[in-house]
Amino acid sequence: GAGVSQSPSNKVTEKGKDVELRCDPISGHTALYWYRQSLGQGLEFLIYFQGNSAPDKSGLPSDRFSAERTGGSVSTLTIQRTQQEDSAVYLCASSQDQNSYEQYFGPGTRLTVT
Amino acid sequence: DQQVKQNSPSLSVQEGRISILNCDYTNSMFDYFLWYKKYPAEGPTFLISISSIKDKNEDGRFTVFLNKSAKHLSLHIVPSQPGDSAVYFCAASAHNYGQNFVFGPGTRLSVLP
């Protein structure tokens, strides 16, 4: 079946602009995660959605970052007033449910803020 | 402060030999550990996991060892193949932290033919 997909694959934006990154998880997976990987760094947890529960937003670095998950499926990560330090690869992952540790990752969106 | 450390940013191994990738953690509450492999321009893919109730888990050429007292785990790949060349991430989680996974910075493995 289809894996996790993300769009766009690459995004170049000017400092101060808003960007939206999209994630389509594997069908039927109730858990969805957003991470980012800056150059030379590991994966940094951003936010976690599980079913209809309130999301775990503990990893969001500032209030410029927000995410939604509509209908328990597609998720959008929004970064407002982008800064150069936001440049990174943003990865989305899904897992079957809250009891499953195995996460399936999408290919990522490479964001470059100029 | 990094809770999950992979102190070797890179490792080169000859094809057919053993690759050993190391991971150290500081949080004694971590009770589940995973290894992911990442090729360029792709997302990480799950490789193997281990629960803290075990000290070893094996899957084909891949074996993960856990030493809880030392807060150390390692991934062994035997025999190493050129297709194993990738970045390997160690990740840890604790039941009472929900599903918040902490990833290490990764080790780039190069398997030389």
Side-chain angles (χ1 to χ4, degrees):
Chain A
V4 177
S5 61
Q6 292 185 246
S7 61
S9 54
N10 276 287
K11 176 72 176 178
V12 180
T13 190
E14 290 180 355
K15 178 181 171 181
K17 301 277 190 181
D18 298 351
V19 294
E20 280 190 357
L21 312 179
R22 177 186 167 107
C23 172
D24 280 272
I26 292 173
S27 177
H29 280 193
T30 61
L32 187 148
Y33 307 77
W34 282 99
Y35 296 88
R36 74 175 174 183
Q37 185 179 17
S38 302
L39 193 63
Q41 303 295 314
L43 277 70
E44 176 189 3
F45 167 78
L46 296 177
I47 188 169
Y48 162 63
F49 294 91
Q50 170 52 45
N52 296 321
S53 303
D56 175 358
K57 303 180 182 180
S58 60
L60 294 178
S62 78
D63 59 8
R64 296 186 295 104
F65 288 72
S66 63
E68 288 184 343
R69 189 176 185 195
T70 53
S73 181
V74 171
S75 177
T76 303
L77 177 69
T78 301
I79 309 173
Q80 295 178 310
R81 305 181 302 282
T82 52
Q83 304 294 312
Q84 286 187 330
E85 61 263 28
D86 300 334
S87 296
V89 176
Y90 288 81
L91 290 157
C92 174
S94 70
S95 64
Q96 192 163 3
D97 53 42
Q98 71 272 23
N99 297 316
S100 174
Y101 285 96
E102 297 175 22
Q103 299 178 32
Y104 297 83
F105 282 82
T109 294
R110 180 175 297 278
L111 175 66
T112 304
V113 182
T114 61
Chain B
D1 182 33
Q2 272 189 336
Q3 295 190 69
V4 178
K5 302 176 185 180
Q6 293 177 257
N7 292 323
S8 299
S10 63
L11 175 68
S12 292
V13 170
Q14 209 68 37
E15 180 179 4
R17 301 289 185 117
I18 184 171
S19 296
I20 300 176
L21 298 107
N22 293 304
C23 177
D24 296 285
Y25 61 96
T26 57
N27 191 335
S28 58
M29 300 301 292
F30 287 144
D31 56 9
Y32 203 87
F33 306 89
L34 306 94
W35 283 93
Y36 283 85
K37 178 169 75 172
K38 184 182 185 302
Y39 292 118
E42 295 182 13
T45 54
F46 170 77
L47 197 55
I48 193 169
S49 64
I50 189 166
S51 160
S52 61
I53 63 173
K54 292 185 174 182
D55 54 18
K56 177 183 174 182
N57 190 24
E58 192 171 351
D59 184 2
R61 296 185 298 114
F62 302 90
T63 303
V64 55
F65 296 91
L66 175 63
N67 182 336
K68 288 189 291 293
S69 61
K71 296 193 183 67
H72 176 83
L73 64 156
S74 60
L75 175 68
H76 292 212
I77 307 173
V78 183
S80 302
Q81 300 173 353
D84 297 329
S85 297
V87 176
Y88 289 78
F89 292 99
C90 169
S93 178
H95 260 96
N96 59 356
Y97 285 4
Q99 291 293 318
N100 195 340
F101 287 85
V102 181
F103 282 77
T107 296
R108 182 178 300 278
L109 173 66
S110 299
V111 180
L112 309 173

